[in-house]
Amino acid sequence: MGVITPGFTGRARGGDPRLPPGQYLTEDFPVLSAGPTPRVNLDKWEFSVTTEKGEKRSWSWHEMTALPSEKFTVDIHCVTQWTKLDTRWRGVPVATLLGDADTEADYVMARSYGGYTTNMPLADLLDGQAWVVYEYNGKPLSPEHGGPARLLVPHLYFWKSAKWVRGLQLTTKDEPGFWETAGYHDYGDPWREQRYQGD
Ligand SMILES: Nc1nc2c(c(=O)[nH]1)N[C@H]1C(S)=C(S)[C@@H](COP(=O)(O)O)O[C@H]1N2
Ligand SMILES: [Mo]
């Protein structure tokens, strides 16, 4: 029986419940890059985690792709208002990479080949919420979408998913990255529509 609870309006009434406020659905996969696409030779590629004390752990391409990986399907939400449902990826959970790091840090700055940066709380990268991905739709991640590997943090706006990621720097103090410095929200929760500072 379709009983309507008085006062319940729901979110996006009549729309897709998987669509956050102010977003529209797209079938394509737009490319958004603030600069040129860096080309990184896999022989030279390296990913590192650096703690606030400067201790560094790094992985070569061979080592990264030899780690246990997960295949998963998630929705992604760009601050320019497109949402793409059911995107399929494969990658290494960030928790695996942080595993034995000796840290008291609460924040992370993701750093990319090409110089892009983006910040987030460390807790948002744990518990199955974030991956370093290297396959999209069953194929190697293309350079324009961040290949060889990108960070994927699908519960935050897509600018937090650093393409061409080369490392995570753990910090005790929250510092703004590229878009956050330019006025975008420090945290960027699409469900709370945290697009810009002050939202
Ligand atoms: N290194 C890097 N990562 C980046 C960006 C960028 O310009 N450089 N743009 C961000 C933004 S604003 C978005 S919406 C997504 C776009 O990813 P896509 O091009 O695969 O759609 O990447 C994010 N990660
Ligand atoms: Mo974006």
Side-chain angles (χ1 to χ4, degrees), residues 42-49 56-69 91-92 96-97 132 134:
L42 292 185
D43 298 339
K44 302 238 170 74
W45 186 90
E46 183 184 86
F47 177 86
S48 63
V49 170
K56 183 173 158 181
R57 174 85 213 272
S58 47
W59 293 262
S60 65
W61 181 254
H62 179 77
E63 291 165 337
M64 176 65 76
T65 53
L67 290 173
S69 63
V92 177
T96 302
L97 302 163
V132 170
Y134 49 81

Side-chain angles (χ1 to χ4, degrees), residues 19-166:
L19 195 60
Q23 298 290 107
Y24 66 88
L25 291 176
T26 183
E27 293 288 323
D28 359 293
F29 195 171
V31 172
L32 283 107
S33 304
T37 296
R39 302 285 160 160
V40 194
N41 190 322
L42 292 185
D43 298 339
K44 302 238 170 74
W45 186 90
E46 183 184 86
F47 177 86
S48 63
V49 170
T50 311
T51 70
E52 71 277 19
K53 291 170 200 134
E55 286 163 18
K56 183 173 158 181
R57 174 85 213 272
S58 47
W59 293 262
S60 65
W61 181 254
H62 179 77
E63 291 165 337
M64 176 65 76
T65 53
L67 290 173
S69 63
E70 292 179 357
K71 280 188 174 177
F72 58 95
T73 302
V74 292
D75 303 340
I76 53 180
H77 314 288
C78 175
V79 73
T80 62
Q81 300 185 294
W82 56 267
T83 283
K84 186 169 172 60
L85 302 179
D86 297 324
T87 60
R88 296 195 297 123
W89 306 86
R90 176 194 181 111
V92 177
V94 173
T96 302
L97 302 163
L98 292 173
D100 50 11
D102 173 22
T103 183
E104 264 141 52
D106 287 324
Y107 302 98
V108 174
M109 185 69 83
R111 298 185 178 279
S112 295
Y113 287 101
Y116 185 83
T117 55
T118 185
N119 60 297
M120 62 214 87
L122 177 56
D124 283 81
L125 296 180
L126 303 175
D127 303 318
Q129 298 182 93
W131 298 261
V132 170
V133 294
Y134 49 81
E135 273 182 28
Y136 172 71
N137 257 345
K139 298 203 194 82
L141 182 61
S142 65
E144 65 268 29
H145 286 302
R150 78 184 294 166
L151 186 64
L152 199 79
V153 195
H155 72 287
L156 300 177
Y157 278 125
F158 208 31
W159 86 78
K160 300 287 183 179
S161 294
K163 303 200 280 188
W164 317 298
V165 70
R166 69 176 174 81

